[in-house]
Amino acid sequence: MSIELSPRRTSMPHTDSEIKRNVIVRRRIGTLWRTLFLSCIVLGMIALGLLLFRVLNDAGGYVAIVQKVAPATLADRPLAELSAGELAAIVKAKISKNVYNRLDREQPFAQRSQADLLALIEERVVQVRIIDSWTLQESLFNRDAIEQAAKADDPTAVVQWRWWFHPSFLTEPMNSKPEFAGVRTALLGSIWVILLTILIAFPIGVCAAIYLEEYAVDNWLNRLIRTNIYNLAGVPSIIYGMLGLAIFVRTLEYYTSGAFVGVADSNGRTIVSAALTMALLVLPLIIINAQEAIRAVPNSLRMASYGLGATKWQTIWSHVLPQAVPGILTGTILAMSRAIGETAPLIVVGASTFIVFDPSGPFSKFTVLPIQIYDWTSRPEQTFRNAAAAAILVLLALLLTLNALAIWLRNRYRRST
């Protein structure tokens, strides 16, 4: 019986010219798609470059400074050459007795370093104030116009170059004056929250993924659990914040405030409440990525282990997990990157927008870098936006450092397996 081919099946090229034309068309289509993919990469790089340029543009440049008291009138030598005792004597002579006693109670003057006392003299005695600031781009190309504008604002103003991202920016606490503001308190808060979040979420997420992939049978209950885990990964973070407020801050206040271990000056709005909330937020990501990593381990490894008499747990511990660790750590990196930049759930849980005391434990009040950045960018003064740009650089550096550590651990496990 003969079979008649349809016109569609007989449209294949037969002659040499048709084959060449077909190859040329397919190559053009391939080139078009490759160009499209490359354009997406270039577009992303341009967007990232513009973002970094915008941040760096605000993080440095000229500032116009005025001083209420000239430093030369405070001593017969430059202040930088004075000892800590001599600087402390200047502070005691120039500020009120009540302010001096309060500063001494916060940190005794005998224990303050020369750098701390110089910064204190600039803030309290010299009263340095930035009256205007310019971006990096303006400072590089318009120096004369900047000096004229500064003199127009205040004839005594001095134009100086200032990088807002400097070492003391990391070591100084928050301040109502942007000239002396730092991110130490927010940086310590971010480190506390992210470390506790990983300590809570990582073991729970990996254990849940092991059960779902290695032990759970295929029934409706386990399929429902898997489906809900996938759905929870897409829930807006503000919902997790409301959940954390209801459960960890209010219902479990006795435990999250530290009252059960004798902490009396705290409420449920603590670091541990924030870490538990963030752990809920990243837990679906860790579970899903750990499941994928465990599922990617070849089944032949399990069969070989069983063939040698190993139990199921021995097979998981000795063969499955070592092979899956690089993939699990990759998922943890993604989860950590999301947690460190979140703001909405922490605002709902009760992170402070202005706090000058460093967190000393899991039951301390806290703030984090994203909230500090949000607070500064919402203020009308340009100088606070300059400080916010420097804080963004600190946040990026912290994120890259933690990611580099996780990548190093992942590569180390990958080489060992």
Side-chain angles (χ1 to χ4, degrees):
M1 183 177 65
S2 63
I3 300 175
E4 294 184 1
L5 297 176
S6 65
R8 186 183 184 88
R9 292 187 177 182
T10 58
S11 63
M12 295 293 292
H14 296 288
T15 64
D16 290 343
S17 60
E18 290 177 344
I19 292 174
K20 289 180 180 178
R21 188 165 54 250
N22 181 275
V23 170
I24 291 172
V25 170
R26 284 189 286 135
R27 285 179 177 174
R28 285 177 179 173
I29 294 174
T31 302
L32 180 64
W33 280 108
R34 187 180 62 182
T35 305
L36 179 63
F37 299 149
L38 180 61
S39 301
C40 294
I41 296 295
V42 171
L43 186 62
M45 296 298 291
I46 291 174
L48 179 61
L50 290 175
L51 175 65
L52 291 177
F53 171 76
R54 184 70 178 84
V55 172
L56 291 173
N57 199 36
D58 283 340
Y62 284 117
V63 295
I65 295 176
V66 294
Q67 298 172 338
K68 188 173 182 180
V69 177
T73 62
L74 299 175
D76 55 356
R77 289 177 292 157
L79 295 178
E81 297 179 1
L82 300 182
S83 65
E86 292 171 323
L87 294 173
I90 292 176
V91 175
K92 186 175 183 179
K94 296 296 181 180
I95 64 176
S96 68
K97 186 176 180 180
N98 291 335
V99 174
Y100 180 85
N101 292 335
R102 179 170 59 81
L103 293 173
D104 194 51
R105 285 195 299 273
E106 293 176 0
Q107 183 181 3
F109 279 89
Q111 299 178 2
R112 294 177 184 254
S113 65
Q114 184 189 31
D116 292 340
L117 290 168
L118 281 173
L120 189 62
I121 288 176
E122 280 194 356
E123 179 182 359
R124 298 284 179 172
V125 181
V126 178
Q127 298 187 27
V128 174
R129 186 167 59 91
I130 296 177
I131 59 173
D132 205 351
S133 65
W134 290 268
T135 64
L136 180 63
Q137 188 178 10
E138 292 171 339
S139 301
L140 291 176
F141 300 105
N142 298 313
R143 170 64 190 263
D144 295 338
I146 288 173
E147 288 186 342
Q148 292 175 4
K151 293 299 180 184
D153 291 339
D154 191 327
T156 63
V158 177
V159 176
Q160 292 182 353
W161 184 274
R162 181 184 177 104
W163 279 110
W164 292 83
F165 181 75
H166 48 79
S168 61
F169 186 69
L170 301 175
T171 58
E172 292 296 327
M174 294 183 186
N175 197 305
S176 58
K177 300 176 181 176
E179 299 87 350
F180 307 103
V183 294
R184 186 185 70 198
T185 307
L187 179 61
L188 291 175
S190 287
I191 293 174
W192 267 104
V193 170
I194 197 65
L195 290 182
L196 279 180
T197 299
I198 295 302
L199 286 177
I200 296 169
F202 183 76
I204 296 176
V206 174
C207 290
I210 291 174
Y211 175 79
L212 290 173
E213 286 300 317
E214 299 293 333
Y215 292 98
V217 296
D218 186 18
N219 57 26
W220 68 269
L221 179 59
N222 290 325
R223 287 195 295 273
L224 180 66
I225 291 173
R226 289 191 182 97
T227 303
N228 279 287
I229 289 174
Y230 279 94
N231 290 333
L232 286 173
V235 172
S237 59
I238 190 71
I239 304 299
Y240 286 99
M242 296 172 67
L243 184 65
L245 176 67
I247 297 177
F248 303 126
V249 176
R250 292 176 178 169
T251 306
L252 301 178
E253 181 181 355
Y254 179 72
Y255 300 99
T256 56
S257 65
F260 72 104
V261 292
V263 178
D265 59 343
S266 181
N267 52 25
R269 302 177 185 276
T270 57
I271 287 176
V272 69
S273 293
L276 288 168
T277 304
M278 299 305 287
L280 286 180
L281 175 67
V282 302
L283 202 52
L285 285 176
I286 294 178
I287 294 175
I288 292 170
N289 285 284
Q291 279 186 276
E292 296 294 334
I294 293 172
R295 197 177 300 154
V297 176
N299 205 36
S300 57
L301 280 178
R302 298 178 178 84
M303 295 299 106
S305 179
Y306 295 147
L308 293 174
T311 63
K312 192 175 189 64
W313 167 242
Q314 288 173 325
T315 301
I316 294 171
W317 180 256
S318 301
H319 300 284
V320 176
L321 282 182
Q323 293 290 327
V325 161
I328 293 173
L329 289 179
T330 300
T332 306
I333 293 171
L334 296 175
M336 192 165 57
S337 301
R338 180 179 180 185
I340 202 170
E342 280 291 347
T343 305
L346 296 180
I347 290 177
V348 177
V349 167
S352 304
T353 55
F354 186 86
I355 183 172
V356 295
F357 300 104
D358 296 336
S360 57
F363 304 113
S364 301
K365 295 178 181 178
F366 72 102
T367 189
V368 291
L369 281 171
I371 292 179
Q372 183 68 77
I373 294 167
Y374 168 76
D375 179 53
W376 282 345
T377 53
S378 63
R379 299 194 182 193
E381 297 95 335
Q382 172 62 32
T383 46
F384 272 115
R385 287 195 284 275
N386 296 131
I392 291 173
L393 295 178
V394 175
L395 180 62
L396 289 175
L398 176 63
L399 176 64
L400 293 176
T401 301
L402 293 175
N403 283 356
L405 177 62
I407 291 171
W408 176 75
L409 289 173
R410 182 188 64 185
N411 293 338
R412 184 180 178 185
Y413 275 103
R414 182 173 291 169
R415 284 195 298 268
S416 64
T417 55

mmCIF file of all heavy atoms in Angstrom, residues 278-303:
data_model
loop_
_atom_site.group_PDB
_atom_site.id
_atom_site.type_symbol
_atom_site.label_atom_id
_atom_site.label_comp_id
_atom_site.label_asym_id
_atom_site.label_seq_id
_atom_site.Cartn_x
_atom_site.Cartn_y
_atom_site.Cartn_z
ATOM 1 N N MET A 278 12.551 36.467 59.641
ATOM 2 C CA MET A 278 13.322 36.332 58.406
ATOM 3 C C MET A 278 13.572 34.867 58.066
ATOM 4 O O MET A 278 13.663 34.493 56.886
ATOM 5 C CB MET A 278 14.648 37.071 58.530
ATOM 6 C CG MET A 278 14.514 38.565 58.775
ATOM 7 S SD MET A 278 13.518 39.400 57.539
ATOM 8 C CE MET A 278 14.636 39.363 56.168
ATOM 9 N N ALA A 279 13.677 34.021 59.107
ATOM 10 C CA ALA A 279 13.847 32.589 58.848
ATOM 11 C C ALA A 279 12.610 32.018 58.150
ATOM 12 O O ALA A 279 12.728 31.205 57.228
ATOM 13 C CB ALA A 279 14.104 31.856 60.160
ATOM 14 N N LEU A 280 11.417 32.461 58.595
ATOM 15 C CA LEU A 280 10.196 32.030 57.901
ATOM 16 C C LEU A 280 10.210 32.488 56.448
ATOM 17 O O LEU A 280 9.754 31.775 55.545
ATOM 18 C CB LEU A 280 8.970 32.604 58.608
ATOM 19 C CG LEU A 280 8.565 31.988 59.944
ATOM 20 C CD1 LEU A 280 7.325 32.685 60.488
ATOM 21 C CD2 LEU A 280 8.294 30.504 59.787
ATOM 22 N N LEU A 281 10.740 33.691 56.217
ATOM 23 C CA LEU A 281 10.742 34.262 54.871
ATOM 24 C C LEU A 281 11.628 33.457 53.911
ATOM 25 O O LEU A 281 11.252 33.209 52.753
ATOM 26 C CB LEU A 281 11.229 35.714 54.951
ATOM 27 C CG LEU A 281 11.411 36.464 53.628
ATOM 28 C CD1 LEU A 281 10.073 36.690 52.953
ATOM 29 C CD2 LEU A 281 12.114 37.788 53.863
ATOM 30 N N VAL A 282 12.812 33.055 54.392
ATOM 31 C CA VAL A 282 13.773 32.389 53.490
ATOM 32 C C VAL A 282 13.655 30.871 53.521
ATOM 33 O O VAL A 282 14.279 30.199 52.696
ATOM 34 C CB VAL A 282 15.219 32.809 53.839
ATOM 35 C CG1 VAL A 282 15.377 34.307 53.737
ATOM 36 C CG2 VAL A 282 15.624 32.320 55.215
ATOM 37 N N LEU A 283 12.875 30.339 54.463
ATOM 38 C CA LEU A 283 12.780 28.878 54.588
ATOM 39 C C LEU A 283 12.289 28.201 53.301
ATOM 40 O O LEU A 283 12.879 27.188 52.878
ATOM 41 C CB LEU A 283 11.869 28.532 55.767
ATOM 42 C CG LEU A 283 12.039 27.142 56.383
ATOM 43 C CD1 LEU A 283 13.485 26.877 56.744
ATOM 44 C CD2 LEU A 283 11.151 27.012 57.615
ATOM 45 N N PRO A 284 11.249 28.709 52.624
ATOM 46 C CA PRO A 284 10.843 28.064 51.362
ATOM 47 C C PRO A 284 11.955 28.042 50.310
ATOM 48 O O PRO A 284 12.105 27.048 49.587
ATOM 49 C CB PRO A 284 9.646 28.904 50.906
ATOM 50 C CG PRO A 284 9.115 29.516 52.154
ATOM 51 C CD PRO A 284 10.306 29.771 53.003
ATOM 52 N N LEU A 285 12.719 29.121 50.216
ATOM 53 C CA LEU A 285 13.822 29.145 49.245
ATOM 54 C C LEU A 285 14.856 28.072 49.552
ATOM 55 O O LEU A 285 15.337 27.372 48.645
ATOM 56 C CB LEU A 285 14.495 30.523 49.262
ATOM 57 C CG LEU A 285 13.751 31.673 48.588
ATOM 58 C CD1 LEU A 285 14.508 32.970 48.788
ATOM 59 C CD2 LEU A 285 13.586 31.386 47.109
ATOM 60 N N ILE A 286 15.213 27.933 50.830
ATOM 61 C CA ILE A 286 16.223 26.937 51.199
ATOM 62 C C ILE A 286 15.694 25.531 50.944
ATOM 63 O O ILE A 286 16.409 24.666 50.420
ATOM 64 C CB ILE A 286 16.623 27.133 52.673
ATOM 65 C CG1 ILE A 286 17.331 28.477 52.857
ATOM 66 C CG2 ILE A 286 17.520 25.992 53.143
ATOM 67 C CD1 ILE A 286 17.723 28.779 54.280
ATOM 68 N N ILE A 287 14.429 25.283 51.286
ATOM 69 C CA ILE A 287 13.851 23.945 51.088
ATOM 70 C C ILE A 287 13.814 23.585 49.602
ATOM 71 O O ILE A 287 14.222 22.486 49.196
ATOM 72 C CB ILE A 287 12.440 23.879 51.699
ATOM 73 C CG1 ILE A 287 12.510 24.016 53.217
ATOM 74 C CG2 ILE A 287 11.754 22.567 51.323
ATOM 75 C CD1 ILE A 287 11.152 24.086 53.890
ATOM 76 N N ILE A 288 13.329 24.514 48.780
ATOM 77 C CA ILE A 288 13.188 24.227 47.345
ATOM 78 C C ILE A 288 14.556 23.965 46.708
ATOM 79 O O ILE A 288 14.741 22.997 45.960
ATOM 80 C CB ILE A 288 12.471 25.397 46.645
ATOM 81 C CG1 ILE A 288 11.020 25.462 47.105
ATOM 82 C CG2 ILE A 288 12.545 25.251 45.134
ATOM 83 C CD1 ILE A 288 10.298 26.710 46.661
ATOM 84 N N ASN A 289 15.534 24.792 47.017
ATOM 85 C CA ASN A 289 16.861 24.601 46.432
ATOM 86 C C ASN A 289 17.536 23.344 46.956
ATOM 87 O O ASN A 289 18.229 22.645 46.211
ATOM 88 C CB ASN A 289 17.730 25.823 46.707
ATOM 89 C CG ASN A 289 17.358 27.011 45.838
ATOM 90 O OD1 ASN A 289 17.680 27.070 44.665
ATOM 91 N ND2 ASN A 289 16.638 27.953 46.426
ATOM 92 N N ALA A 290 17.322 23.020 48.243
ATOM 93 C CA ALA A 290 17.896 21.787 48.778
ATOM 94 C C ALA A 290 17.227 20.567 48.152
ATOM 95 O O ALA A 290 17.895 19.555 47.864
ATOM 96 C CB ALA A 290 17.732 21.775 50.298
ATOM 97 N N GLN A 291 15.931 20.643 47.917
ATOM 98 C CA GLN A 291 15.239 19.539 47.239
ATOM 99 C C GLN A 291 15.816 19.311 45.844
ATOM 100 O O GLN A 291 16.062 18.166 45.444
ATOM 101 C CB GLN A 291 13.738 19.852 47.132
ATOM 102 C CG GLN A 291 12.936 19.558 48.380
ATOM 103 C CD GLN A 291 11.458 19.755 48.132
ATOM 104 O OE1 GLN A 291 10.946 20.866 48.216
ATOM 105 N NE2 GLN A 291 10.770 18.687 47.796
ATOM 106 N N GLU A 292 15.998 20.388 45.112
ATOM 107 C CA GLU A 292 16.547 20.250 43.759
ATOM 108 C C GLU A 292 17.953 19.660 43.788
ATOM 109 O O GLU A 292 18.313 18.837 42.933
ATOM 110 C CB GLU A 292 16.564 21.616 43.061
ATOM 111 C CG GLU A 292 15.203 22.227 42.828
ATOM 112 C CD GLU A 292 14.378 21.418 41.842
ATOM 113 O OE1 GLU A 292 14.969 20.724 40.994
ATOM 114 O OE2 GLU A 292 13.132 21.465 41.928
ATOM 115 N N ALA A 293 18.751 20.092 44.777
ATOM 116 C CA ALA A 293 20.124 19.574 44.874
ATOM 117 C C ALA A 293 20.119 18.094 45.219
ATOM 118 O O ALA A 293 20.907 17.306 44.659
ATOM 119 C CB ALA A 293 20.895 20.372 45.929
ATOM 120 N N ILE A 294 19.260 17.680 46.130
ATOM 121 C CA ILE A 294 19.200 16.256 46.510
ATOM 122 C C ILE A 294 18.659 15.420 45.357
ATOM 123 O O ILE A 294 19.122 14.309 45.086
ATOM 124 C CB ILE A 294 18.323 16.100 47.770
ATOM 125 C CG1 ILE A 294 19.006 16.769 48.966
ATOM 126 C CG2 ILE A 294 18.035 14.638 48.069
ATOM 127 C CD1 ILE A 294 18.152 16.850 50.201
ATOM 128 N N ARG A 295 17.677 15.971 44.643
ATOM 129 C CA ARG A 295 17.072 15.243 43.520
ATOM 130 C C ARG A 295 18.085 15.048 42.387
ATOM 131 O O ARG A 295 17.989 14.088 41.614
ATOM 132 C CB ARG A 295 15.858 16.022 43.028
ATOM 133 C CG ARG A 295 14.894 15.213 42.154
ATOM 134 C CD ARG A 295 13.717 16.087 41.794
ATOM 135 N NE ARG A 295 13.011 16.534 42.987
ATOM 136 C CZ ARG A 295 12.296 17.646 43.063
ATOM 137 N NH1 ARG A 295 12.194 18.424 42.005
ATOM 138 N NH2 ARG A 295 11.682 17.977 44.190
ATOM 139 N N ALA A 296 19.048 15.951 42.272
ATOM 140 C CA ALA A 296 20.033 15.859 41.186
ATOM 141 C C ALA A 296 21.104 14.796 41.430
ATOM 142 O O ALA A 296 21.873 14.488 40.526
ATOM 143 C CB ALA A 296 20.706 17.225 40.995
ATOM 144 N N VAL A 297 21.167 14.262 42.657
ATOM 145 C CA VAL A 297 22.152 13.216 42.939
ATOM 146 C C VAL A 297 21.723 11.941 42.197
ATOM 147 O O VAL A 297 20.576 11.497 42.327
ATOM 148 C CB VAL A 297 22.242 12.947 44.455
ATOM 149 C CG1 VAL A 297 23.204 11.794 44.728
ATOM 150 C CG2 VAL A 297 22.698 14.210 45.179
ATOM 151 N N PRO A 298 22.607 11.331 41.404
ATOM 152 C CA PRO A 298 22.216 10.146 40.626
ATOM 153 C C PRO A 298 21.701 9.028 41.534
ATOM 154 O O PRO A 298 22.278 8.740 42.582
ATOM 155 C CB PRO A 298 23.512 9.737 39.933
ATOM 156 C CG PRO A 298 24.350 10.960 39.919
ATOM 157 C CD PRO A 298 24.001 11.730 41.147
ATOM 158 N N ASN A 299 20.615 8.396 41.109
ATOM 159 C CA ASN A 299 20.029 7.316 41.895
ATOM 160 C C ASN A 299 20.947 6.096 41.957
ATOM 161 O O ASN A 299 20.841 5.269 42.870
ATOM 162 C CB ASN A 299 18.678 6.921 41.291
ATOM 163 C CG ASN A 299 17.779 6.289 42.312
ATOM 164 O OD1 ASN A 299 17.792 6.683 43.478
ATOM 165 N ND2 ASN A 299 17.005 5.292 41.900
ATOM 166 N N SER A 300 21.868 6.002 40.994
ATOM 167 C CA SER A 300 22.789 4.861 40.998
ATOM 168 C C SER A 300 23.673 4.862 42.237
ATOM 169 O O SER A 300 24.073 3.811 42.737
ATOM 170 C CB SER A 300 23.658 4.899 39.742
ATOM 171 O OG SER A 300 24.363 6.129 39.659
ATOM 172 N N LEU A 301 23.977 6.054 42.781
ATOM 173 C CA LEU A 301 24.772 6.122 44.009
ATOM 174 C C LEU A 301 24.019 5.491 45.178
ATOM 175 O O LEU A 301 24.602 4.775 46.001
ATOM 176 C CB LEU A 301 25.107 7.580 44.338
ATOM 177 C CG LEU A 301 26.260 8.217 43.565
ATOM 178 C CD1 LEU A 301 26.422 9.667 43.983
ATOM 179 C CD2 LEU A 301 27.546 7.449 43.829
ATOM 180 N N ARG A 302 22.733 5.774 45.241
ATOM 181 C CA ARG A 302 21.928 5.190 46.327
ATOM 182 C C ARG A 302 21.879 3.668 46.175
ATOM 183 O O ARG A 302 22.053 2.921 47.154
ATOM 184 C CB ARG A 302 20.516 5.772 46.297
ATOM 185 C CG ARG A 302 20.433 7.271 46.526
ATOM 186 C CD ARG A 302 18.980 7.742 46.425
ATOM 187 N NE ARG A 302 18.823 9.159 46.683
ATOM 188 C CZ ARG A 302 18.999 10.115 45.788
ATOM 189 N NH1 ARG A 302 19.353 9.796 44.546
ATOM 190 N NH2 ARG A 302 18.829 11.373 46.118
ATOM 191 N N MET A 303 21.649 3.205 44.935
ATOM 192 C CA MET A 303 21.544 1.756 44.713
ATOM 193 C C MET A 303 22.856 1.055 45.054
ATOM 194 O O MET A 303 22.870 -0.027 45.650
ATOM 195 C CB MET A 303 21.177 1.485 43.257
ATOM 196 C CG MET A 303 19.793 2.003 42.854
ATOM 197 S SD MET A 303 18.461 1.247 43.816
ATOM 198 C CE MET A 303 18.004 2.604 44.902
#
